[in-house]
Amino acid sequence: MKTRTTVLILLHLLVFNGLFVFRFPTMQEAVEQRTAWERGEFRGSAMDHVRLHFTTIVERNYYEWTTAVLGGQLEDDYPLFDRNRAEIEALVSETPRFRLPYREVFFEYPPVLMAPILAARAPTTTFWGFTRALAFVLSLAYVACLWVAYRIWQHLPERRRVSWHMVLAGSLTGVLCLGQIYVTRLDVIPSLVVLLAVWAFLTGRWYASAAWLAVGVLTKGYAIVLAPIFGLVLLRQGKYRALVVSAAIAVAILTVVNVGLGWVSQGEYWTSFRFHAERGIQIESLYALVPYLAHLLLGAAITVYDAHNSMNIDMAHIGLLLKASTVMPVVTMIALYVMFWRVLKSRSAEEIEPGQVVGMVLLLVFTFMLTFKVLSPQFLVWLTPLIYLSAPSRRSTLFFGCFLAIMLVTQLIWPGFYYLLEEAHPVGVALLVIRNVGLLALFVWLLRDWWRTYQPSVAS
């Protein structure tokens, strides 16, 4: 078992760091191809389209990260696509002084996500080296995810867990299906922190779990949805002191960091919160299906526009969808908390199973992802490798196959044919419908299986 596990782990490292091996266009080539595509003169293959969009989008993101944390501010109209790779490397390597993120330069992410950027930037002075270093840092973070996932897997009852090798094989296949998004975004990091919080909770280290959960919120805000689950378990077990102290630890960490950054940045830190609050309906979200289908089936007028570092969609009465995107997360999560509490109340405190907690954690993360007004492809990374630990009791192989297929479709949408979605082309919209409806179906599948397994009537 150890040999096969080692081989699969090494394959994860190889695949992660090999995602950049394929030859993509240089920036100069990408500019020329992009110009030709905008004029309707680009006649490349589907793979040429993939390489073109991957290069123009990813290179810009990497440049923004390095300049935001270590260099000067990147203006909205910065002519990045007019520069070749050598010029970009020269610009990135020129860091005359450290500029404070949030205060002197805009940084849209929570503070913990500076860590992988700084770690990748430290050993290199070139843009090319930074991209490779970041891929390596994220590959190590994902291997750490697998190690923590293994520790969680050991606490699951045998009747509710798949073989560890299937978990690793599914994870490896998932990385291949979702592709470069694993190393072009930072969402492996919040996945790792959430797993650490869950592992600490399952092993009775309540205070460590609370600290990890606070760090998770400072990494990606979605981690906050797990707090009520941990609190309800402690409440049911009568561990009132642990509940109060854990809450105090989490609140203290969040208060010190947020207030401290707000003070150091002279209030500019809160701009990142407003930045996300003001976002519109992103074109990949579940809500975006409404204007897209209204446009294709009813001829409704829509507008796709670039704002807040994402492509958003607008139409008449879009405000109703924005209100729904605020209400739906709250309503669905409260419903899940109520279901979880009913299950806890139906059995003694000693009968609470780790599988209950792990399954509900996955459902809550899934819910946040589906009901948020942004559903970027990297959000699927939040589900991994946790989803491989929570196989439905029936037809688990089919479930994993469907999930991997959805990840593959996601890679087809971004970066493959994202321009079709921007233009509301029927093919692009069809891919989005398949992906989003598929995700919704998998969520319902997991929810139904969790309820059938732990519902009060069965427990009693």
Side-chain angles (χ1 to χ4, degrees):
M1 177 175 176
K2 290 183 178 180
T3 301
R4 282 187 290 175
T5 298
T6 302
V7 169
L8 287 169
I9 294 286
L10 290 175
L11 283 174
H12 274 85
L13 284 171
L14 179 63
V15 169
F16 254 85
N17 291 279
L19 289 174
F20 275 120
V21 169
F22 303 101
R23 197 271 186 183
F24 289 98
T26 63
M27 285 304 300
Q28 192 63 37
E29 292 172 337
V31 170
E32 295 172 355
Q33 293 175 5
R34 179 81 180 187
T35 302
W37 174 72
E38 291 174 348
R39 294 174 178 172
E41 301 171 356
F42 184 62
R43 295 292 181 268
S45 65
M47 182 54 67
D48 290 329
H49 280 275
V50 171
R51 297 194 307 169
L52 166 61
H53 286 268
F54 178 77
T55 300
T56 55
I57 294 171
V58 170
E59 301 272 8
R60 184 183 183 106
N61 285 328
Y62 278 138
Y63 185 76
E64 286 182 346
W65 291 344
T66 54
T67 53
V69 176
L70 292 168
Q73 186 172 10
L74 180 65
E75 300 295 337
D76 290 339
D77 58 348
Y78 195 84
L80 177 62
F81 298 145
D82 295 332
R83 300 178 180 272
N84 59 32
R85 183 178 299 278
E87 290 174 325
I88 291 175
E89 289 183 351
L91 284 170
V92 174
S93 63
E94 291 175 1
T95 53
R97 67 182 181 87
F98 181 84
R99 289 179 170 86
L100 287 174
Y102 304 116
R103 177 173 171 176
E104 296 179 284
V105 292
F106 176 70
F107 189 66
E108 69 170 280
Y109 298 107
V112 174
L113 285 182
M114 293 181 198
I117 299 172
L118 292 170
R121 182 63 176 82
T124 181
T125 58
T126 66
F127 180 79
W128 184 261
F130 171 78
T131 60
R132 272 59 187 172
L134 186 62
F136 181 69
V137 169
L138 295 178
S139 70
L140 294 180
Y142 192 75
V143 168
C145 284
L146 294 176
W147 181 80
V148 180
Y150 177 70
R151 293 299 187 183
I152 295 173
W153 177 83
Q154 289 179 315
H155 284 82
L156 298 178
E158 292 187 9
R159 64 182 178 83
R160 289 292 299 166
R161 69 185 188 189
V162 298
S163 73
W164 177 242
H165 294 133
M166 179 178 287
V167 172
L168 288 178
S171 172
L172 180 61
T173 308
V175 172
L176 290 169
C177 287
L178 196 57
Q180 297 94 346
I181 200 71
Y182 272 97
V183 292
T184 58
R185 292 296 192 277
L186 305 171
D187 293 81
V188 169
I189 306 300
S191 293
L192 173 59
V193 179
V194 166
L195 285 170
L196 286 167
V198 173
W199 177 42
F201 188 82
L202 294 180
T203 53
R205 293 174 290 137
W206 321 118
Y207 305 152
S209 177
W212 279 120
L213 195 59
V215 174
V217 175
L218 294 170
T219 308
K220 275 291 178 77
Y222 77 89
I224 193 67
V225 303
L226 308 186
I229 291 299
F230 295 166
L232 289 174
V233 172
L234 293 178
L235 184 64
R236 182 68 182 93
Q237 293 177 335
K239 300 184 183 340
Y240 305 119
R241 183 177 184 276
L243 175 59
V244 173
V245 175
S246 297
I249 290 173
V251 171
I253 293 174
L254 292 172
T255 301
V256 169
V257 174
N258 285 315
V259 173
L261 284 173
W263 178 74
V264 170
S265 67
Q266 298 180 347
E268 291 301 318
Y269 172 63
W270 309 112
T271 302
S272 62
F273 290 82
R274 292 191 294 270
F275 176 85
H276 293 288
E278 294 169 358
R279 300 180 85 157
I281 299 296
Q282 192 235 13
I283 63 174
E284 296 168 79
S285 67
L286 205 60
Y287 305 100
L289 293 181
V290 175
Y292 272 132
L293 293 178
H295 173 68
L296 292 179
L297 300 178
L298 304 176
I302 62 172
T303 302
V304 175
Y305 62 98
D306 186 359
H308 298 83
N309 287 347
S310 65
M311 300 303 299
N312 306 309
I313 194 165
D314 193 12
M315 67 175 298
H317 309 298
I318 195 69
L320 295 175
L321 288 178
L322 285 169
K323 290 179 181 178
S325 70
T326 302
V327 174
M328 283 299 294
V330 177
V331 172
T332 52
M333 286 179 199
I334 289 177
L336 289 177
Y337 295 143
V338 171
M339 289 175 61
F340 188 71
W341 180 245
R342 284 190 60 191
V343 170
L344 292 182
K345 290 288 289 182
S346 69
R347 58 192 67 196
S348 66
E350 294 74 21
E351 292 178 323
I352 298 175
E353 296 184 12
Q356 288 176 248
V357 178
V358 173
M360 184 52 65
V361 166
L362 177 62
L363 286 170
L364 284 167
V365 175
F366 218 140
T367 299
F368 184 93
M369 182 187 74
L370 286 175
T371 58
F372 192 46
K373 58 185 175 182
V374 178
L375 209 174
S376 298
Q378 63 267 24
F379 288 9
L380 270 68
V381 178
W382 300 350
L383 303 177
T384 62
L386 191 62
I387 194 169
Y388 305 115
L389 303 178
S390 304
S393 55
R394 301 178 183 179
R395 300 180 179 178
S396 58
T397 303
L398 176 62
F399 176 85
F400 287 143
C402 292
F403 178 67
L404 295 174
I406 288 172
M407 295 181 83
L408 185 59
V409 172
T410 300
Q411 186 175 184
L412 288 177
I413 295 173
W414 192 97
F417 299 102
Y418 203 67
Y419 63 99
L420 294 180
L421 199 55
E422 293 175 355
E423 297 177 351
H425 191 282
V427 173
V429 175
L431 288 172
L432 184 66
V433 170
I434 293 171
R435 199 278 300 269
N436 286 358
V437 173
L439 284 173
L440 188 60
L442 290 185
F443 170 77
V444 173
W445 191 341
L446 282 173
L447 179 62
R448 181 172 178 268
D449 181 77
W450 186 90
W451 182 247
R452 289 181 59 179
T453 303
Y454 301 112
Q455 62 180 309
S457 60
V458 174
S460 57

